[in-house]
Amino acid sequence: MAVSLLTRQVSDLCLGKPALKSLSISSTIGDALLALKRLGENFISIWNCDHHHYNLSAVDRGFKECQCVGKVCMVNIICFLCREENLSNPATALQTPLSVLIPKSPCLVRHVEPNASLLDAIDLIQEGAQNLVIPLESSSKTSSRKKLVQGTLSNISTLHNNNRQYCWLTQEDIIRYLLNSIGLFCPTAANPINSLDIIDTRNKMALHYDDPALSALPFISRSLEIQASVAIVDSDGKLVGEISPFTLNYCDEDVAAAIATLSAGDLLAYVDCGGPPEDLVQLVKKRLQERNLEQALELVEEYSSGASISTSYSSSSSDDEFGMGRSARWMGYSARVVRRSEAIVCYPWNSLVAVMIQALSRQVSYVWVVDHDGTLTGIVSFAGMMKVFRERSRTM
């Protein structure tokens, strides 16, 4: 039964999923920032074709095929703005072509045919894929919502290849699907995770509480690639919090200034729910002044005074429709999670199914593993969980 489950077509997991909102690779980083905020998306897909002319075929536009070449999120933009040369002139940095944020390796996003099996999808994830791009069944009717999006954001589209639409299939989608049929994988799913060889110690990226937050940048970029996080530990190696892509995706671009000026521990407080404490905002401003980063200082002052986006990317009357603005992003998250920087933990003796439920309930793709005294020992990811189900299917 479990084998037949994993041979199901990936299109079965795409029922009811929304069409991808997309930007062309020729767009700027500022275009991506505006789209993420207005659409309220965590990620936006990037394509090698110009969606201003979505009614033309890819061949007519000079491309062999219209394909998704990557994805961009707030974390990409924040990390880009953290560079010294960009922090000194954020407005100019946002005019940079979007292509600089797209990894040269195409493995993070892969196109998959609807009739591919779930086993094929899991194999691609084991090879490093985060998102699978699946064609949706064509529809002759265009919803009013889609018309609204395309009419309001002229460079955003869901249409490709003569009106064809696509959707994401994520690691979370697959784990939810497997959890719904968890009984087919007994007793494996009830086994403790330390007996399944899925506790990853190699990708246990950690910083000390007093380390500069800026030293986390390589770890943040890496954690975005492998869908993990950066642990913050005390002097005894005990886990006290985390800086995760999931957290930063609900922040605004002014967080780049905080990363560039605060310690890792102070950054935890800065990104926690309810907005940054005033004393930390003032500390960030002071340190920006000391480094003569006047434009970054202006950016922080805009947000601390209640602005929702930099003046060079002013909002339209439809911003409320798309959930744009700092307050909407913070309040939307705090309704679901008590604290942003609080890490999700489990113990080596917890069962696989319990860890799956933990991760899904908090909408993250990993869980930290700690000993009985809170010492960090490793991390368990969705990819590791899928490996167990993949190997279990081979023995059935």
Side-chain angles (χ1 to χ4, degrees):
M1 288 292 292
V3 176
S4 63
L5 175 75
L6 295 182
T7 57
R8 296 286 296 273
Q9 294 185 357
V10 293
S11 57
D12 294 337
L13 278 67
C14 297
L15 297 176
K17 290 185 72 68
L20 279 178
K21 309 296 192 309
S22 309
L23 277 179
S24 168
I25 192 67
S26 62
S27 303
T28 67
I29 294 176
D31 292 331
L33 174 62
L34 186 60
L36 287 166
K37 290 192 169 190
R38 287 189 170 182
L39 296 172
E41 301 279 353
N42 287 336
F43 294 88
I44 190 162
S45 62
I46 310 301
W47 294 68
N48 64 359
C49 37
D50 185 357
H51 297 97
H52 287 290
H53 305 289
Y54 58 82
N55 58 316
L56 300 178
S57 70
V59 174
D60 291 336
R61 291 192 302 271
F63 297 104
K64 291 183 178 180
E65 186 176 2
C66 187
Q67 285 200 330
C68 180
V69 295
K71 60 180 184 177
V72 167
C73 65
M74 281 298 299
V75 183
N76 298 119
I77 298 172
I78 289 169
C79 288
F80 179 76
L81 291 176
C82 282
R83 301 176 189 173
E84 187 78 16
E85 65 273 19
N86 296 332
L87 202 58
S88 64
N89 197 338
T92 299
L94 291 174
Q95 298 294 337
T96 304
L98 194 53
S99 56
V100 303
L101 300 184
I102 306 300
K104 296 188 182 300
S105 172
C107 65
L108 294 182
V109 174
R110 301 284 294 271
H111 277 258
V112 176
E113 290 301 318
N115 59 356
S117 70
L118 189 55
L119 279 172
D120 294 333
I122 292 175
D123 285 343
L124 289 174
I125 288 171
Q126 296 299 310
E127 295 171 8
Q130 288 185 6
N131 296 70
L132 305 179
V133 182
I134 316 293
L136 290 173
E137 291 185 6
S138 60
S139 173
S140 58
K141 295 182 179 180
T142 303
S143 68
S144 59
R145 173 68 177 174
K146 184 175 69 179
K147 288 179 179 178
L148 175 62
V149 170
Q150 291 177 349
T152 307
L153 301 174
S154 61
N155 60 340
I156 306 296
S157 178
T158 63
L159 303 173
H160 317 271
N161 289 1
N162 288 335
N163 295 339
R164 198 170 194 186
Q165 294 182 314
Y166 295 80
C167 71
W168 286 133
L169 186 64
T170 67
Q171 294 185 15
E172 180 179 346
D173 294 327
I174 296 176
I175 289 293
R176 286 189 183 278
Y177 184 76
L178 293 172
L179 183 61
N180 287 336
S181 304
I182 201 68
L184 299 178
F185 294 94
C186 288
T188 301
N191 288 342
I193 56 175
N194 59 3
S195 69
L196 298 173
D197 192 30
I198 61 171
I199 300 177
D200 186 356
T201 56
R202 183 172 59 88
N203 290 307
K204 185 183 66 175
M205 296 173 288
L207 285 179
H208 188 269
Y209 190 88
D210 294 323
D211 288 339
L214 194 60
S215 62
L217 273 187
F219 287 163
I220 293 172
S221 297
R222 174 61 178 161
S223 67
L224 186 61
E225 291 178 6
I226 64 174
Q227 295 196 329
S229 186
V230 182
I232 306 300
V233 299
D234 63 14
S235 56
D236 297 320
K238 295 181 180 179
L239 184 66
V240 296
E242 68 173 359
I243 303 171
S244 74
F246 181 69
T247 296
L248 295 178
N249 259 344
Y250 283 89
C251 296
D252 288 299
E253 65 270 27
D254 65 308
V255 169
I259 294 174
T261 55
L262 297 178
S263 68
D266 284 340
L267 183 62
L268 295 184
Y270 194 94
V271 301
D272 233 337
C273 283
E278 184 59 28
D279 60 332
L280 287 181
V281 174
Q282 295 304 318
L283 179 59
V284 170
K285 290 181 180 180
K286 178 183 176 182
R287 292 178 176 173
L288 291 174
Q289 285 177 326
E290 291 171 350
R291 293 167 58 179
N292 295 318
L293 296 172
E294 296 298 329
Q295 292 193 35
L297 177 60
E298 291 175 6
L299 183 65
V300 173
E301 288 177 338
E302 277 185 13
Y303 279 101
S304 62
S305 65
S308 62
I309 194 167
S310 59
T311 54
S312 58
Y313 292 88
S314 59
S315 59
S316 70
S317 60
S318 63
D319 291 342
D320 290 341
E321 167 70 20
F322 294 101
M324 181 181 171
R326 186 185 187 86
S327 60
R329 296 170 69 83
W330 284 84
M331 292 171 62
Y333 189 101
S334 60
R336 290 183 285 121
V337 181
V338 176
R339 294 181 57 210
R340 289 181 168 203
S341 59
E342 184 177 10
I344 309 170
V345 301
C346 67
Y347 298 100
W349 52 85
N350 289 149
S351 68
L352 173 60
V353 65
V355 176
M356 290 172 66
I357 293 172
Q358 265 189 293
L360 290 172
S361 65
R362 289 286 292 269
Q363 295 183 322
V364 293
S365 56
Y366 60 88
V367 178
W368 294 108
V369 184
V370 298
D371 284 336
H372 63 280
D373 64 351
T375 302
L376 180 65
T377 61
I379 191 170
V380 176
S381 67
F382 279 165
M385 298 175 195
M386 282 184 233
K387 182 180 178 182
V388 172
F389 293 109
R390 182 72 172 87
E391 292 176 349
R392 173 62 175 161
S393 70
R394 291 173 176 170
T395 63
M396 301 180 72

